[in-house]
Amino acid sequence: MFSINQCKLQAKQQLKGNTGPLMNASLIMFAISAMLALTNSRISQVMPFMTFSFRVIQFCITSILGFALTYLAMKLVKTRTSSFTDYQIGLTKIKPALLGNLWHTLFLTLWKLIFIVPISIIISIPFSIAIFNVLDLGNIDWTTVDPNRFAPENFNIEEMSQNILNEVQQFFETHYVLAILLGLLFIGLAIITIIKGIQYSQMFMVLAESALENKKVSVPKAMNLSKELTKGKKGKLFVFYLSFIGWISLACLPVFILAILKESHVLESEMLFTTLVSLTVSLGCTLLLPYIRTAFVNVYGFLKEEAVNSGKLNLEDFE
C-alpha cells in the first residue's frame, strides 16, 4: 500500500529547483480559464444562442491545458527535470487530452444519471404543483383567457418565486418521506461521484505516461487500467485527496479579507465580491497545483509498481 506521506515528500523533493515550469504552466491555465469563464458569462448574456458552442470550445481548451500540466508533472517525476519546452510538447498531445476528458466526463455523467433522473422527477412534482397553485391555473377559463394574462410585466417575479419556494417547502414538510428519499438520493449522487471519480482518476496518468514514452495506449484501455490500479485502493486514495484540505484552506484565507471588506461596505457590489472570491479561490488553488499534481503522479507510480509486483498487471499492459 502506498504511503501518503512518502508521495507528498517525494513531490516536495522533486519540485526543488524545478518549480518554475510547473508554476508557469499552472498560472497560464488559471489565466486562460478565467478569461474563458468571463467570456462565457458575457456570451450567455448577450448571445445566449452561442453559449453551447463556446462551452465546447472552453471544454477543449481546458482539457488540453490540464493534460499538458499532467504531462509536465509526469516528465518531472520520470526524469527529475522539466522545462517550459516540455509543457509546450504537452500542449501538442491534443488527442489523448480531448478524448480522455470526453471519455471521463461521459462515463462519470452516465453514472450520475442513476441518481440525477429520480432526483429531477421528485423535484419536478412539488414545483409543478407550486406553479399551478401560485398562478391559480385551476380557476382559469381557458376558452376566454386573456393572452396578456401571462405576460412577464404582469408578474412580480421576485414575489412569485418566493411564493413558489414556500409552496415547495410546505409540500416537502407534508410529504416528509419524499424529502427523506430526495436527501438519500443526493447523498447517493455524492458517493457515486466520489467513487467513480477516484476509479477513473489514474487514466490521465496512464495517458500522460503513454504520451511521454511515445506509446499508444488507447483511452478505453487507460480507463480499464485505472480501474485495476484503484481496485481496493479507493479508501486510501480518498484519504490522500483529503490530506490537501489544509493547504487548500490556507490558500483560501484571502477570502476572509474580502468578506471583511464587504461587511465594512468597502466592496458594495455583490457581483464584484462574488467575482473576486471566485478568482481568489481559483488563484490560491492554482499556486498549489504543482505540488498537488506532482504528488498525484507519485501515487500513480506507487500504484503501478504495486500492481506489477503483485502480478495484477504487467508492464506490457501499459504499452
Side-chain angles (χ1 to χ4, degrees), residues 12-220:
K12 292 175 183 177
Q13 293 172 343
Q14 290 156 352
L15 284 168
K16 285 182 179 178
N18 292 295
T19 309
L22 276 161
M23 185 61 73
N24 290 335
S26 299
L27 290 172
I28 288 172
M29 186 167 69
F30 164 75
I32 294 177
S33 298
M35 286 189 291
L36 288 172
L38 292 172
T39 304
N40 180 59
S41 177
R42 183 60 179 165
I43 286 177
S44 64
Q45 293 175 0
V46 298
M47 293 186 294
F49 58 91
M50 288 291 294
T51 301
F52 177 77
S53 299
F54 186 81
R55 283 180 178 172
V56 172
I57 296 171
Q58 187 178 13
F59 175 85
C60 293
I61 293 174
T62 52
S63 297
I64 293 169
L65 292 172
F67 186 80
L69 185 63
T70 301
Y71 178 91
L72 183 59
M74 183 67 69
K75 173 68 164 53
L76 173 62
V77 171
K78 288 279 188 178
T79 66
R80 297 296 187 272
T81 59
S82 65
S83 66
F84 195 72
T85 301
D86 296 321
Y87 178 63
Q88 292 174 310
I89 294 173
L91 291 172
T92 66
K93 310 297 181 179
I94 297 175
K95 184 177 178 180
L98 293 182
L99 291 182
N101 210 9
L102 182 62
W103 200 255
H104 179 272
T105 303
L106 175 63
F107 273 82
L108 201 56
T109 302
L110 288 175
W111 279 104
K112 288 180 180 181
L113 285 176
I114 296 173
F115 294 94
I116 290 175
V117 171
I119 285 173
S120 301
I121 293 172
I122 291 175
I123 290 178
S124 67
I125 295 172
F127 269 97
S128 299
I129 295 173
I131 292 172
F132 187 88
N133 291 337
V134 170
L135 295 180
D136 197 24
L137 299 181
N139 296 319
I140 294 177
D141 183 356
W142 294 100
T143 59
T144 60
V145 65
D146 183 359
N148 295 321
R149 176 186 173 89
F150 300 105
E153 58 270 16
N154 293 331
F155 292 95
N156 184 327
I157 301 299
E158 186 175 342
E159 181 182 350
M160 185 176 70
S161 300
Q162 188 59 52
N163 290 337
I164 291 174
L165 291 176
N166 291 338
E167 289 267 349
V168 171
Q169 183 179 350
Q170 290 175 13
F171 177 90
F172 280 120
E173 287 174 354
T174 306
H175 303 80
Y176 61 90
V177 175
L178 273 181
I180 293 172
L181 178 59
L182 187 62
L184 291 174
L185 286 170
F186 272 112
I187 293 172
L189 177 61
I191 292 173
I192 198 69
T193 301
I194 292 171
I195 291 175
K196 290 302 174 181
I198 293 174
Q199 189 177 45
Y200 302 151
S201 63
Q202 302 305 305
M203 65 179 291
F204 296 106
M205 304 299 173
V206 174
L207 291 171
E209 183 183 51
S210 174
L212 181 65
E213 298 177 352
N214 293 316
K215 297 175 182 177
K216 295 184 178 180
V217 177
S218 66
V219 171

